[in-house]
PDB file of all heavy atoms in Angstrom:
ATOM      1  N   THR A   1      -4.615   7.034   1.307  1.00  0.00           N
ATOM      2  CA  THR A   1      -4.116   7.111   2.679  1.00  0.00           C
ATOM      3  C   THR A   1      -4.814   8.226   3.450  1.00  0.00           C
ATOM      4  O   THR A   1      -5.528   9.067   2.879  1.00  0.00           O
ATOM      5  CB  THR A   1      -2.603   7.352   2.689  1.00  0.00           C
ATOM      6  OG1 THR A   1      -2.344   8.684   2.210  1.00  0.00           O
ATOM      7  CG2 THR A   1      -1.891   6.346   1.799  1.00  0.00           C
ATOM      8  N   GLN A   2      -4.578   8.246   4.760  1.00  0.00           N
ATOM      9  CA  GLN A   2      -5.135   9.296   5.612  1.00  0.00           C
ATOM     10  C   GLN A   2      -4.590  10.675   5.233  1.00  0.00           C
ATOM     11  O   GLN A   2      -5.231  11.702   5.493  1.00  0.00           O
ATOM     12  CB  GLN A   2      -4.812   8.992   7.085  1.00  0.00           C
ATOM     13  CG  GLN A   2      -5.499   7.749   7.645  1.00  0.00           C
ATOM     14  CD  GLN A   2      -6.981   7.954   7.882  1.00  0.00           C
ATOM     15  OE1 GLN A   2      -7.516   9.059   7.682  1.00  0.00           O
ATOM     16  NE2 GLN A   2      -7.665   6.896   8.292  1.00  0.00           N
ATOM     17  N   LYS A   3      -3.407  10.685   4.567  1.00  0.00           N
ATOM     18  CA  LYS A   3      -2.820  11.947   4.114  1.00  0.00           C
ATOM     19  C   LYS A   3      -3.315  12.335   2.724  1.00  0.00           C
ATOM     20  O   LYS A   3      -2.788  13.243   2.094  1.00  0.00           O
ATOM     21  CB  LYS A   3      -1.298  11.832   4.104  1.00  0.00           C
ATOM     22  CG  LYS A   3      -0.696  11.619   5.485  1.00  0.00           C
ATOM     23  CD  LYS A   3       0.818  11.516   5.404  1.00  0.00           C
ATOM     24  CE  LYS A   3       1.429  11.313   6.779  1.00  0.00           C
ATOM     25  NZ  LYS A   3       2.911  11.214   6.721  1.00  0.00           N
ATOM     26  N   LYS A   4      -4.318  11.622   2.232  1.00  0.00           N
ATOM     27  CA  LYS A   4      -4.968  11.874   0.933  1.00  0.00           C
ATOM     28  C   LYS A   4      -4.070  11.528  -0.255  1.00  0.00           C
ATOM     29  O   LYS A   4      -4.286  12.020  -1.367  1.00  0.00           O
ATOM     30  CB  LYS A   4      -5.421  13.348   0.835  1.00  0.00           C
ATOM     31  CG  LYS A   4      -6.323  13.803   1.983  1.00  0.00           C
ATOM     32  CD  LYS A   4      -7.594  13.008   2.077  1.00  0.00           C
ATOM     33  CE  LYS A   4      -8.564  13.597   3.103  1.00  0.00           C
ATOM     34  NZ  LYS A   4      -8.040  13.629   4.474  1.00  0.00           N
ATOM     35  N   ASP A   5      -3.054  10.662  -0.034  1.00  0.00           N
ATOM     36  CA  ASP A   5      -2.242  10.170  -1.138  1.00  0.00           C
ATOM     37  C   ASP A   5      -2.964   9.012  -1.810  1.00  0.00           C
ATOM     38  O   ASP A   5      -3.510   8.135  -1.139  1.00  0.00           O
ATOM     39  CB  ASP A   5      -0.874   9.703  -0.639  1.00  0.00           C
ATOM     40  CG  ASP A   5      -0.039  10.853  -0.092  1.00  0.00           C
ATOM     41  OD1 ASP A   5      -0.144  11.960  -0.645  1.00  0.00           O
ATOM     42  OD2 ASP A   5       0.706  10.633   0.884  1.00  0.00           O
ATOM     43  N   THR A   6      -2.956   8.998  -3.144  1.00  0.00           N
ATOM     44  CA  THR A   6      -3.612   7.940  -3.913  1.00  0.00           C
ATOM     45  C   THR A   6      -2.567   6.986  -4.464  1.00  0.00           C
ATOM     46  O   THR A   6      -1.596   7.409  -5.086  1.00  0.00           O
ATOM     47  CB  THR A   6      -4.428   8.535  -5.072  1.00  0.00           C
ATOM     48  OG1 THR A   6      -5.432   9.409  -4.535  1.00  0.00           O
ATOM     49  CG2 THR A   6      -5.116   7.426  -5.878  1.00  0.00           C
ATOM     50  N   ILE A   7      -2.764   5.699  -4.239  1.00  0.00           N
ATOM     51  CA  ILE A   7      -1.816   4.672  -4.685  1.00  0.00           C
ATOM     52  C   ILE A   7      -2.522   3.738  -5.656  1.00  0.00           C
ATOM     53  O   ILE A   7      -3.495   3.074  -5.302  1.00  0.00           O
ATOM     54  CB  ILE A   7      -1.257   3.870  -3.492  1.00  0.00           C
ATOM     55  CG1 ILE A   7      -0.647   4.788  -2.440  1.00  0.00           C
ATOM     56  CG2 ILE A   7      -0.229   2.855  -3.977  1.00  0.00           C
ATOM     57  CD1 ILE A   7      -0.219   4.078  -1.170  1.00  0.00           C
ATOM     58  N   ASN A   8      -2.026   3.728  -6.890  1.00  0.00           N
ATOM     59  CA  ASN A   8      -2.506   2.804  -7.911  1.00  0.00           C
ATOM     60  C   ASN A   8      -1.683   1.524  -7.764  1.00  0.00           C
ATOM     61  O   ASN A   8      -0.480   1.532  -7.985  1.00  0.00           O
ATOM     62  CB  ASN A   8      -2.300   3.427  -9.292  1.00  0.00           C
ATOM     63  CG  ASN A   8      -2.907   2.587 -10.402  1.00  0.00           C
ATOM     64  OD1 ASN A   8      -3.042   1.375 -10.260  1.00  0.00           O
ATOM     65  ND2 ASN A   8      -3.263   3.231 -11.493  1.00  0.00           N
ATOM     66  N   CYS A   9      -2.313   0.417  -7.376  1.00  0.00           N
ATOM     67  CA  CYS A   9      -1.543  -0.749  -6.948  1.00  0.00           C
ATOM     68  C   CYS A   9      -2.302  -2.047  -7.220  1.00  0.00           C
ATOM     69  O   CYS A   9      -3.407  -2.036  -7.758  1.00  0.00           O
ATOM     70  CB  CYS A   9      -1.226  -0.653  -5.456  1.00  0.00           C
ATOM     71  SG  CYS A   9      -2.716  -0.653  -4.427  1.00  0.00           S
ATOM     72  N   LYS A  10      -1.675  -3.143  -6.819  1.00  0.00           N
ATOM     73  CA  LYS A  10      -2.311  -4.453  -6.826  1.00  0.00           C
ATOM     74  C   LYS A  10      -2.221  -5.007  -5.409  1.00  0.00           C
ATOM     75  O   LYS A  10      -1.132  -5.280  -4.900  1.00  0.00           O
ATOM     76  CB  LYS A  10      -1.611  -5.399  -7.813  1.00  0.00           C
ATOM     77  CG  LYS A  10      -2.328  -6.736  -7.975  1.00  0.00           C
ATOM     78  CD  LYS A  10      -3.685  -6.557  -8.629  1.00  0.00           C
ATOM     79  CE  LYS A  10      -4.400  -7.887  -8.824  1.00  0.00           C
ATOM     80  NZ  LYS A  10      -5.745  -7.689  -9.436  1.00  0.00           N
ATOM     81  N   ILE A  11      -3.366  -5.162  -4.749  1.00  0.00           N
ATOM     82  CA  ILE A  11      -3.402  -5.680  -3.384  1.00  0.00           C
ATOM     83  C   ILE A  11      -3.184  -7.188  -3.420  1.00  0.00           C
ATOM     84  O   ILE A  11      -3.917  -7.920  -4.090  1.00  0.00           O
ATOM     85  CB  ILE A  11      -4.737  -5.334  -2.700  1.00  0.00           C
ATOM     86  CG1 ILE A  11      -4.862  -3.806  -2.550  1.00  0.00           C
ATOM     87  CG2 ILE A  11      -4.839  -6.016  -1.336  1.00  0.00           C
ATOM     88  CD1 ILE A  11      -6.201  -3.337  -2.009  1.00  0.00           C
ATOM     89  N   THR A  12      -2.160  -7.642  -2.695  1.00  0.00           N
ATOM     90  CA  THR A  12      -1.831  -9.075  -2.692  1.00  0.00           C
ATOM     91  C   THR A  12      -2.359  -9.799  -1.458  1.00  0.00           C
ATOM     92  O   THR A  12      -2.659 -10.986  -1.523  1.00  0.00           O
ATOM     93  CB  THR A  12      -0.310  -9.271  -2.771  1.00  0.00           C
ATOM     94  OG1 THR A  12       0.321  -8.551  -1.701  1.00  0.00           O
ATOM     95  CG2 THR A  12       0.228  -8.755  -4.104  1.00  0.00           C
ATOM     96  N   LYS A  13      -2.455  -9.093  -0.329  1.00  0.00           N
ATOM     97  CA  LYS A  13      -3.011  -9.689   0.883  1.00  0.00           C
ATOM     98  C   LYS A  13      -3.811  -8.635   1.637  1.00  0.00           C
ATOM     99  O   LYS A  13      -3.342  -7.501   1.810  1.00  0.00           O
ATOM    100  CB  LYS A  13      -1.897 -10.236   1.786  1.00  0.00           C
ATOM    101  CG  LYS A  13      -1.209 -11.472   1.254  1.00  0.00           C
ATOM    102  CD  LYS A  13      -0.174 -11.962   2.244  1.00  0.00           C
ATOM    103  CE  LYS A  13       0.579 -13.166   1.698  1.00  0.00           C
ATOM    104  NZ  LYS A  13       1.610 -13.634   2.655  1.00  0.00           N
ATOM    105  N   ASP A  14      -4.985  -9.031   2.101  1.00  0.00           N
ATOM    106  CA  ASP A  14      -5.863  -8.128   2.850  1.00  0.00           C
ATOM    107  C   ASP A  14      -6.025  -8.701   4.249  1.00  0.00           C
ATOM    108  O   ASP A  14      -6.912  -9.514   4.516  1.00  0.00           O
ATOM    109  CB  ASP A  14      -7.220  -8.028   2.130  1.00  0.00           C
ATOM    110  CG  ASP A  14      -8.083  -6.919   2.708  1.00  0.00           C
ATOM    111  OD1 ASP A  14      -7.642  -6.277   3.677  1.00  0.00           O
ATOM    112  OD2 ASP A  14      -9.197  -6.713   2.206  1.00  0.00           O
ATOM    113  N   LYS A  15      -5.129  -8.295   5.155  1.00  0.00           N
ATOM    114  CA  LYS A  15      -5.107  -8.843   6.509  1.00  0.00           C
ATOM    115  C   LYS A  15      -5.863  -7.930   7.473  1.00  0.00           C
ATOM    116  O   LYS A  15      -6.279  -6.821   7.122  1.00  0.00           O
ATOM    117  CB  LYS A  15      -3.658  -9.012   6.985  1.00  0.00           C
ATOM    118  CG  LYS A  15      -2.836  -9.976   6.138  1.00  0.00           C
ATOM    119  CD  LYS A  15      -3.267 -11.399   6.365  1.00  0.00           C
ATOM    120  CE  LYS A  15      -2.335 -12.376   5.671  1.00  0.00           C
ATOM    121  NZ  LYS A  15      -2.699 -13.781   5.933  1.00  0.00           N
ATOM    122  N   ALA A  16      -6.030  -8.415   8.708  1.00  0.00           N
ATOM    123  CA  ALA A  16      -6.787  -7.670   9.708  1.00  0.00           C
ATOM    124  C   ALA A  16      -6.111  -6.361  10.082  1.00  0.00           C
ATOM    125  O   ALA A  16      -6.777  -5.344  10.287  1.00  0.00           O
ATOM    126  CB  ALA A  16      -6.989  -8.534  10.955  1.00  0.00           C
ATOM    127  N   GLU A  17      -4.752  -6.349  10.156  1.00  0.00           N
ATOM    128  CA  GLU A  17      -4.035  -5.153  10.581  1.00  0.00           C
ATOM    129  C   GLU A  17      -3.288  -4.460   9.455  1.00  0.00           C
ATOM    130  O   GLU A  17      -3.029  -3.254   9.537  1.00  0.00           O
ATOM    131  CB  GLU A  17      -3.046  -5.509  11.695  1.00  0.00           C
ATOM    132  CG  GLU A  17      -3.724  -6.034  12.960  1.00  0.00           C
ATOM    133  CD  GLU A  17      -2.730  -6.322  14.058  1.00  0.00           C
ATOM    134  OE1 GLU A  17      -1.522  -6.103  13.826  1.00  0.00           O
ATOM    135  OE2 GLU A  17      -3.147  -6.759  15.145  1.00  0.00           O
ATOM    136  N   TYR A  18      -2.940  -5.209   8.403  1.00  0.00           N
ATOM    137  CA  TYR A  18      -2.139  -4.635   7.319  1.00  0.00           C
ATOM    138  C   TYR A  18      -2.720  -5.015   5.960  1.00  0.00           C
ATOM    139  O   TYR A  18      -3.348  -6.067   5.808  1.00  0.00           O
ATOM    140  CB  TYR A  18      -0.686  -5.120   7.392  1.00  0.00           C
ATOM    141  CG  TYR A  18       0.061  -4.637   8.612  1.00  0.00           C
ATOM    142  CD1 TYR A  18       0.128  -5.437   9.750  1.00  0.00           C
ATOM    143  CD2 TYR A  18       0.687  -3.399   8.633  1.00  0.00           C
ATOM    144  CE1 TYR A  18       0.815  -5.011  10.879  1.00  0.00           C
ATOM    145  CE2 TYR A  18       1.373  -2.964   9.746  1.00  0.00           C
ATOM    146  CZ  TYR A  18       1.433  -3.764  10.871  1.00  0.00           C
ATOM    147  OH  TYR A  18       2.099  -3.326  11.982  1.00  0.00           O
ATOM    148  N   ILE A  19      -2.470  -4.142   4.977  1.00  0.00           N
ATOM    149  CA  ILE A  19      -2.795  -4.430   3.578  1.00  0.00           C
ATOM    150  C   ILE A  19      -1.472  -4.527   2.823  1.00  0.00           C
ATOM    151  O   ILE A  19      -0.674  -3.588   2.823  1.00  0.00           O
ATOM    152  CB  ILE A  19      -3.676  -3.330   2.965  1.00  0.00           C
ATOM    153  CG1 ILE A  19      -5.015  -3.251   3.706  1.00  0.00           C
ATOM    154  CG2 ILE A  19      -3.915  -3.597   1.480  1.00  0.00           C
ATOM    155  CD1 ILE A  19      -5.899  -2.100   3.237  1.00  0.00           C
ATOM    156  N   HIS A  20      -1.205  -5.688   2.227  1.00  0.00           N
ATOM    157  CA  HIS A  20       0.006  -5.894   1.440  1.00  0.00           C
ATOM    158  C   HIS A  20      -0.314  -5.564  -0.021  1.00  0.00           C
ATOM    159  O   HIS A  20      -1.351  -5.986  -0.545  1.00  0.00           O
ATOM    160  CB  HIS A  20       0.469  -7.350   1.549  1.00  0.00           C
ATOM    161  CG  HIS A  20       0.801  -7.781   2.947  1.00  0.00           C
ATOM    162  ND1 HIS A  20       2.080  -8.034   3.365  1.00  0.00           N
ATOM    163  CD2 HIS A  20       0.004  -7.990   4.034  1.00  0.00           C
ATOM    164  CE1 HIS A  20       2.071  -8.390   4.643  1.00  0.00           C
ATOM    165  NE2 HIS A  20       0.815  -8.377   5.073  1.00  0.00           N
ATOM    166  N   PHE A  21       0.604  -4.833  -0.683  1.00  0.00           N
ATOM    167  CA  PHE A  21       0.317  -4.456  -2.063  1.00  0.00           C
ATOM    168  C   PHE A  21       1.612  -4.259  -2.852  1.00  0.00           C
ATOM    169  O   PHE A  21       2.694  -4.095  -2.292  1.00  0.00           O
ATOM    170  CB  PHE A  21      -0.540  -3.181  -2.120  1.00  0.00           C
ATOM    171  CG  PHE A  21       0.126  -1.958  -1.541  1.00  0.00           C
ATOM    172  CD1 PHE A  21       0.829  -1.057  -2.345  1.00  0.00           C
ATOM    173  CD2 PHE A  21       0.033  -1.684  -0.181  1.00  0.00           C
ATOM    174  CE1 PHE A  21       1.432   0.070  -1.814  1.00  0.00           C
ATOM    175  CE2 PHE A  21       0.638  -0.562   0.365  1.00  0.00           C
ATOM    176  CZ  PHE A  21       1.336   0.321  -0.449  1.00  0.00           C
ATOM    177  N   VAL A  22       1.468  -4.296  -4.188  1.00  0.00           N
ATOM    178  CA  VAL A  22       2.562  -4.075  -5.120  1.00  0.00           C
ATOM    179  C   VAL A  22       2.228  -2.831  -5.938  1.00  0.00           C
ATOM    180  O   VAL A  22       1.088  -2.664  -6.388  1.00  0.00           O
ATOM    181  CB  VAL A  22       2.750  -5.289  -6.050  1.00  0.00           C
ATOM    182  CG1 VAL A  22       3.846  -5.023  -7.070  1.00  0.00           C
ATOM    183  CG2 VAL A  22       3.078  -6.532  -5.229  1.00  0.00           C
ATOM    184  N   PHE A  23       3.221  -1.963  -6.134  1.00  0.00           N
ATOM    185  CA  PHE A  23       2.982  -0.768  -6.949  1.00  0.00           C
ATOM    186  C   PHE A  23       4.258  -0.406  -7.701  1.00  0.00           C
ATOM    187  O   PHE A  23       5.344  -0.920  -7.399  1.00  0.00           O
ATOM    188  CB  PHE A  23       2.510   0.406  -6.080  1.00  0.00           C
ATOM    189  CG  PHE A  23       3.580   1.003  -5.207  1.00  0.00           C
ATOM    190  CD1 PHE A  23       4.117   2.242  -5.481  1.00  0.00           C
ATOM    191  CD2 PHE A  23       4.044   0.317  -4.085  1.00  0.00           C
ATOM    192  CE1 PHE A  23       5.098   2.803  -4.684  1.00  0.00           C
ATOM    193  CE2 PHE A  23       5.031   0.865  -3.270  1.00  0.00           C
ATOM    194  CZ  PHE A  23       5.553   2.110  -3.572  1.00  0.00           C
ATOM    195  N   LYS A  24       4.132   0.461  -8.673  1.00  0.00           N
ATOM    196  CA  LYS A  24       5.267   0.869  -9.480  1.00  0.00           C
ATOM    197  C   LYS A  24       5.577   2.333  -9.188  1.00  0.00           C
ATOM    198  O   LYS A  24       4.695   3.198  -9.242  1.00  0.00           O
ATOM    199  CB  LYS A  24       4.975   0.668 -10.968  1.00  0.00           C
ATOM    200  CG  LYS A  24       6.152   0.994 -11.880  1.00  0.00           C
ATOM    201  CD  LYS A  24       5.869   0.620 -13.326  1.00  0.00           C
ATOM    202  CE  LYS A  24       5.996  -0.870 -13.533  1.00  0.00           C
ATOM    203  NZ  LYS A  24       5.925  -1.228 -14.983  1.00  0.00           N
ATOM    204  N   HIS A  25       6.856   2.610  -8.887  1.00  0.00           N
ATOM    205  CA  HIS A  25       7.309   3.970  -8.604  1.00  0.00           C
ATOM    206  C   HIS A  25       8.571   4.244  -9.410  1.00  0.00           C
ATOM    207  O   HIS A  25       9.602   3.593  -9.196  1.00  0.00           O
ATOM    208  CB  HIS A  25       7.583   4.133  -7.102  1.00  0.00           C
ATOM    209  CG  HIS A  25       8.118   5.480  -6.723  1.00  0.00           C
ATOM    210  ND1 HIS A  25       7.336   6.613  -6.758  1.00  0.00           N
ATOM    211  CD2 HIS A  25       9.357   5.865  -6.306  1.00  0.00           C
ATOM    212  CE1 HIS A  25       8.069   7.646  -6.376  1.00  0.00           C
ATOM    213  NE2 HIS A  25       9.301   7.221  -6.101  1.00  0.00           N
ATOM    214  N   LYS A  26       8.478   5.195 -10.344  1.00  0.00           N
ATOM    215  CA  LYS A  26       9.605   5.553 -11.214  1.00  0.00           C
ATOM    216  C   LYS A  26      10.192   4.323 -11.896  1.00  0.00           C
ATOM    217  O   LYS A  26      11.400   4.061 -11.840  1.00  0.00           O
ATOM    218  CB  LYS A  26      10.681   6.291 -10.406  1.00  0.00           C
ATOM    219  CG  LYS A  26      10.229   7.631  -9.841  1.00  0.00           C
ATOM    220  CD  LYS A  26      11.339   8.323  -9.080  1.00  0.00           C
ATOM    221  CE  LYS A  26      10.881   9.662  -8.538  1.00  0.00           C
ATOM    222  NZ  LYS A  26      11.947  10.349  -7.759  1.00  0.00           N
ATOM    223  N   ASP A  27       9.308   3.532 -12.480  1.00  0.00           N
ATOM    224  CA  ASP A  27       9.665   2.314 -13.224  1.00  0.00           C
ATOM    225  C   ASP A  27      10.241   1.209 -12.340  1.00  0.00           C
ATOM    226  O   ASP A  27      10.756   0.210 -12.845  1.00  0.00           O
ATOM    227  CB  ASP A  27      10.669   2.626 -14.350  1.00  0.00           C
ATOM    228  CG  ASP A  27      10.051   3.508 -15.422  1.00  0.00           C
ATOM    229  OD1 ASP A  27       8.828   3.370 -15.656  1.00  0.00           O
ATOM    230  OD2 ASP A  27      10.772   4.324 -16.006  1.00  0.00           O
ATOM    231  N   GLU A  28      10.168   1.381 -11.022  1.00  0.00           N
ATOM    232  CA  GLU A  28      10.632   0.340 -10.101  1.00  0.00           C
ATOM    233  C   GLU A  28       9.430  -0.302  -9.416  1.00  0.00           C
ATOM    234  O   GLU A  28       8.575   0.390  -8.847  1.00  0.00           O
ATOM    235  CB  GLU A  28      11.564   0.934  -9.043  1.00  0.00           C
ATOM    236  CG  GLU A  28      12.073  -0.098  -8.050  1.00  0.00           C
ATOM    237  CD  GLU A  28      12.897   0.523  -6.932  1.00  0.00           C
ATOM    238  OE1 GLU A  28      13.147   1.749  -6.995  1.00  0.00           O
ATOM    239  OE2 GLU A  28      13.257  -0.218  -5.998  1.00  0.00           O
ATOM    240  N   VAL A  29       9.345  -1.624  -9.481  1.00  0.00           N
ATOM    241  CA  VAL A  29       8.242  -2.352  -8.863  1.00  0.00           C
ATOM    242  C   VAL A  29       8.591  -2.626  -7.405  1.00  0.00           C
ATOM    243  O   VAL A  29       9.659  -3.158  -7.099  1.00  0.00           O
ATOM    244  CB  VAL A  29       7.969  -3.675  -9.602  1.00  0.00           C
ATOM    245  CG1 VAL A  29       6.832  -4.425  -8.935  1.00  0.00           C
ATOM    246  CG2 VAL A  29       7.649  -3.403 -11.061  1.00  0.00           C
ATOM    247  N   ARG A  30       7.683  -2.239  -6.503  1.00  0.00           N
ATOM    248  CA  ARG A  30       7.929  -2.402  -5.078  1.00  0.00           C
ATOM    249  C   ARG A  30       6.819  -3.228  -4.430  1.00  0.00           C
ATOM    250  O   ARG A  30       5.651  -3.110  -4.790  1.00  0.00           O
ATOM    251  CB  ARG A  30       8.016  -1.032  -4.390  1.00  0.00           C
ATOM    252  CG  ARG A  30       9.149  -0.160  -4.914  1.00  0.00           C
ATOM    253  CD  ARG A  30       9.206   1.167  -4.186  1.00  0.00           C
ATOM    254  NE  ARG A  30      10.291   2.014  -4.671  1.00  0.00           N
ATOM    255  CZ  ARG A  30      10.549   3.231  -4.210  1.00  0.00           C
ATOM    256  NH1 ARG A  30       9.798   3.739  -3.238  1.00  0.00           N
ATOM    257  NH2 ARG A  30      11.546   3.941  -4.716  1.00  0.00           N
ATOM    258  N   ASN A  31       7.214  -4.024  -3.460  1.00  0.00           N
ATOM    259  CA  ASN A  31       6.286  -4.851  -2.697  1.00  0.00           C
ATOM    260  C   ASN A  31       6.341  -4.399  -1.250  1.00  0.00           C
ATOM    261  O   ASN A  31       7.389  -4.448  -0.614  1.00  0.00           O
ATOM    262  CB  ASN A  31       6.688  -6.331  -2.812  1.00  0.00           C
ATOM    263  CG  ASN A  31       5.727  -7.233  -2.067  1.00  0.00           C
ATOM    264  OD1 ASN A  31       4.606  -6.860  -1.772  1.00  0.00           O
ATOM    265  ND2 ASN A  31       6.187  -8.431  -1.740  1.00  0.00           N
ATOM    266  N   THR A  32       5.221  -3.921  -0.687  1.00  0.00           N
ATOM    267  CA  THR A  32       5.231  -3.364   0.661  1.00  0.00           C
ATOM    268  C   THR A  32       3.884  -3.605   1.334  1.00  0.00           C
ATOM    269  O   THR A  32       3.039  -4.346   0.828  1.00  0.00           O
ATOM    270  CB  THR A  32       5.577  -1.861   0.600  1.00  0.00           C
ATOM    271  OG1 THR A  32       5.731  -1.368   1.936  1.00  0.00           O
ATOM    272  CG2 THR A  32       4.500  -1.082  -0.118  1.00  0.00           C
ATOM    273  N   LEU A  33       3.696  -2.940   2.467  1.00  0.00           N
ATOM    274  CA  LEU A  33       2.428  -3.048   3.181  1.00  0.00           C
ATOM    275  C   LEU A  33       2.134  -1.723   3.863  1.00  0.00           C
ATOM    276  O   LEU A  33       3.008  -0.862   4.013  1.00  0.00           O
ATOM    277  CB  LEU A  33       2.463  -4.199   4.193  1.00  0.00           C
ATOM    278  CG  LEU A  33       3.575  -4.246   5.241  1.00  0.00           C
ATOM    279  CD1 LEU A  33       3.300  -3.337   6.420  1.00  0.00           C
ATOM    280  CD2 LEU A  33       3.767  -5.664   5.746  1.00  0.00           C
ATOM    281  N   ILE A  34       0.902  -1.566   4.295  1.00  0.00           N
ATOM    282  CA  ILE A  34       0.476  -0.352   4.977  1.00  0.00           C
ATOM    283  C   ILE A  34      -0.494  -0.737   6.090  1.00  0.00           C
ATOM    284  O   ILE A  34      -1.301  -1.660   5.939  1.00  0.00           O
ATOM    285  CB  ILE A  34      -0.186   0.646   3.994  1.00  0.00           C
ATOM    286  CG1 ILE A  34      -0.496   1.977   4.697  1.00  0.00           C
ATOM    287  CG2 ILE A  34      -1.440   0.061   3.357  1.00  0.00           C
ATOM    288  CD1 ILE A  34      -0.970   3.072   3.759  1.00  0.00           C
ATOM    289  N   SER A  35      -0.378  -0.062   7.217  1.00  0.00           N
ATOM    290  CA  SER A  35      -1.270  -0.328   8.334  1.00  0.00           C
ATOM    291  C   SER A  35      -2.680   0.156   8.002  1.00  0.00           C
ATOM    292  O   SER A  35      -2.866   1.208   7.370  1.00  0.00           O
ATOM    293  CB  SER A  35      -0.761   0.374   9.592  1.00  0.00           C
ATOM    294  OG  SER A  35      -1.688   0.266  10.639  1.00  0.00           O
ATOM    295  N   ARG A  36      -3.674  -0.575   8.421  1.00  0.00           N
ATOM    296  CA  ARG A  36      -5.070  -0.198   8.134  1.00  0.00           C
ATOM    297  C   ARG A  36      -5.435   1.153   8.758  1.00  0.00           C
ATOM    298  O   ARG A  36      -6.269   1.879   8.220  1.00  0.00           O
ATOM    299  CB  ARG A  36      -6.028  -1.272   8.647  1.00  0.00           C
ATOM    300  CG  ARG A  36      -6.155  -2.475   7.716  1.00  0.00           C
ATOM    301  CD  ARG A  36      -7.248  -3.407   8.197  1.00  0.00           C
ATOM    302  NE  ARG A  36      -7.477  -4.468   7.253  1.00  0.00           N
ATOM    303  CZ  ARG A  36      -8.326  -4.403   6.239  1.00  0.00           C
ATOM    304  NH1 ARG A  36      -9.002  -3.272   6.039  1.00  0.00           N
ATOM    305  NH2 ARG A  36      -8.494  -5.414   5.422  1.00  0.00           N
ATOM    306  N   LYS A  37      -4.791   1.481   9.889  1.00  0.00           N
ATOM    307  CA  LYS A  37      -5.114   2.757  10.525  1.00  0.00           C
ATOM    308  C   LYS A  37      -4.630   3.946   9.693  1.00  0.00           C
ATOM    309  O   LYS A  37      -5.066   5.079   9.915  1.00  0.00           O
ATOM    310  CB  LYS A  37      -4.515   2.814  11.927  1.00  0.00           C
ATOM    311  CG  LYS A  37      -2.999   2.812  11.971  1.00  0.00           C
ATOM    312  CD  LYS A  37      -2.500   2.829  13.401  1.00  0.00           C
ATOM    313  CE  LYS A  37      -0.977   2.858  13.446  1.00  0.00           C
ATOM    314  NZ  LYS A  37      -0.462   2.851  14.847  1.00  0.00           N
ATOM    315  N   ASP A  38      -3.708   3.689   8.730  1.00  0.00           N
ATOM    316  CA  ASP A  38      -3.218   4.753   7.856  1.00  0.00           C
ATOM    317  C   ASP A  38      -3.983   4.811   6.540  1.00  0.00           C
ATOM    318  O   ASP A  38      -3.644   5.601   5.661  1.00  0.00           O
ATOM    319  CB  ASP A  38      -1.731   4.545   7.566  1.00  0.00           C
ATOM    320  CG  ASP A  38      -0.881   4.670   8.814  1.00  0.00           C
ATOM    321  OD1 ASP A  38      -1.254   5.482   9.696  1.00  0.00           O
ATOM    322  OD2 ASP A  38       0.140   3.965   8.916  1.00  0.00           O
ATOM    323  N   VAL A  39      -5.003   3.960   6.388  1.00  0.00           N
ATOM    324  CA  VAL A  39      -5.777   3.892   5.138  1.00  0.00           C
ATOM    325  C   VAL A  39      -7.127   4.570   5.325  1.00  0.00           C
ATOM    326  O   VAL A  39      -7.893   4.236   6.237  1.00  0.00           O
ATOM    327  CB  VAL A  39      -5.974   2.428   4.697  1.00  0.00           C
ATOM    328  CG1 VAL A  39      -6.881   2.362   3.472  1.00  0.00           C
ATOM    329  CG2 VAL A  39      -4.622   1.776   4.408  1.00  0.00           C
ATOM    330  N   LEU A  40      -7.416   5.519   4.449  1.00  0.00           N
ATOM    331  CA  LEU A  40      -8.712   6.192   4.460  1.00  0.00           C
ATOM    332  C   LEU A  40      -9.741   5.408   3.649  1.00  0.00           C
ATOM    333  O   LEU A  40     -10.895   5.251   4.056  1.00  0.00           O
ATOM    334  CB  LEU A  40      -8.570   7.613   3.893  1.00  0.00           C
ATOM    335  CG  LEU A  40      -9.856   8.439   3.799  1.00  0.00           C
ATOM    336  CD1 LEU A  40     -10.416   8.720   5.193  1.00  0.00           C
ATOM    337  CD2 LEU A  40      -9.586   9.750   3.067  1.00  0.00           C
TER     338      LEU A  40
END
């Protein structure tokens, strides 16, 4: 991310404005997205 956070994930959709991805946080699997402008 632009804040230099590193996310180990599986990208499920690579869209023009958003990147959809799945990641694991504290043994919980989460499905979310992030705006491209927030991605370094």
Side-chain angles (χ1 to χ4, degrees):
T1 69
Q2 293 287 357
K3 296 180 180 180
K4 305 300 188 299
D5 294 325
T6 300
I7 306 173
N8 186 334
C9 63
K10 186 66 179 179
I11 295 174
T12 55
K13 289 182 183 179
D14 190 358
K15 298 288 188 177
E17 297 182 0
Y18 294 95
I19 298 175
H20 299 250
F21 63 94
V22 177
F23 72 108
K24 184 173 283 189
H25 177 71
K26 296 181 179 179
D27 294 327
E28 180 185 355
V29 179
R30 299 181 180 179
N31 182 20
T32 187
L33 55 81
I34 186 172
S35 173
R36 280 187 174 271
K37 65 182 181 181
D38 295 327
V39 175
L40 178 65

